[in-house]
Amino acid sequence: MVVAPDTLVLSLTSDLPEVDYGPGEVVISEGSRTNSIWILVSGSVEVRRGGQHISTLDRSGTTFGEISLLLDQPHGATVVALTPTRMRYAVDGALLFDQHAEIARLVATGLARRLDALSVYLADLQRQYGVAPGLSMVADVLRYVSEQPPEGERPVSSRDPDPEY
């Protein structure tokens, strides 16, 4: 029997402390540094970046904080509970990964899936609308996403004074 990755993350983290959040409570603040990992047990959260809604997540076993931890940079988004939400909390995310290679691999696989989905979406967008005004930069974005930027380099955005794309 094959166990779903999210279910496996939950079973592998059953010894972590659990924290409850009420609707509207902030789990992670954009720009903060925690070096921690959260695992959604139940409930739902909204992910916001620059105040903009990115996604709503409600799948048990979903992890948060891994990008900040792995890149050693501040959190790039705010995570807010939408409903009564329970999370498992690893204060030292690096230690969790070091002590549980299987968790680290599952998180890396999840990140790879997200990157793959983004690349597929952008390639499809370029194929369908690449010559449309404002979308011609998709080829540059795809190239940027597919290359590994130098360590410490952050992606540029419209908030930067001179984005490369």
Side-chain angles (χ1 to χ4, degrees):
M1 177 171 101
V2 176
V3 178
D6 298 335
T7 303
L8 191 51
V9 167
L10 284 174
S11 69
L12 292 170
T13 60
S14 62
D15 60 330
L16 290 177
E18 294 186 352
V19 182
D20 292 318
Y21 295 90
E25 285 191 84
V26 174
V27 178
I28 299 173
S29 295
E30 183 174 354
S32 68
R33 283 184 174 264
T34 64
N35 298 317
S36 302
I37 298 291
W38 288 262
I39 299 101
L40 182 65
V41 175
S42 63
S44 63
V45 298
E46 177 184 35
V47 179
R48 302 176 189 157
R49 187 173 186 121
Q52 297 295 312
H53 172 84
I54 300 297
S55 62
T56 299
L57 302 169
D58 61 2
R59 191 177 66 243
S60 297
T62 299
T63 59
F64 302 91
E66 71 278 10
I67 294 172
S68 172
L69 175 70
L70 292 169
L71 297 179
D72 189 28
Q73 65 188 29
H75 292 289
T78 295
V79 177
V80 179
L82 294 175
T83 62
T85 299
R86 176 165 286 173
M87 304 281 263
R88 290 197 178 137
Y89 180 59
V91 174
D92 186 339
L95 183 62
L96 177 72
F97 287 169
D98 290 346
Q99 291 180 342
H100 301 281
E102 192 168 15
I103 294 171
R105 184 182 54 76
L106 289 166
V107 169
T109 300
L111 290 168
R113 281 193 183 112
R114 289 165 48 194
L115 178 60
D116 183 57
L118 175 64
S119 298
V120 167
Y121 176 78
L122 287 172
D124 189 49
L125 190 64
Q126 180 183 17
R127 183 182 55 77
Q128 292 181 47
Y129 307 107
V131 296
L135 291 178
S136 58
M137 89 319 199
V138 171
D140 294 332
V141 173
L142 267 171
R143 184 174 50 258
Y144 185 84
V145 166
S146 67
E147 297 172 354
Q148 182 174 344
E151 189 171 329
E153 182 178 311
R154 295 279 319 235
V156 295
S157 72
S158 61
R159 294 178 288 178
D160 291 318
D162 187 22
E164 294 179 23
Y165 53 85

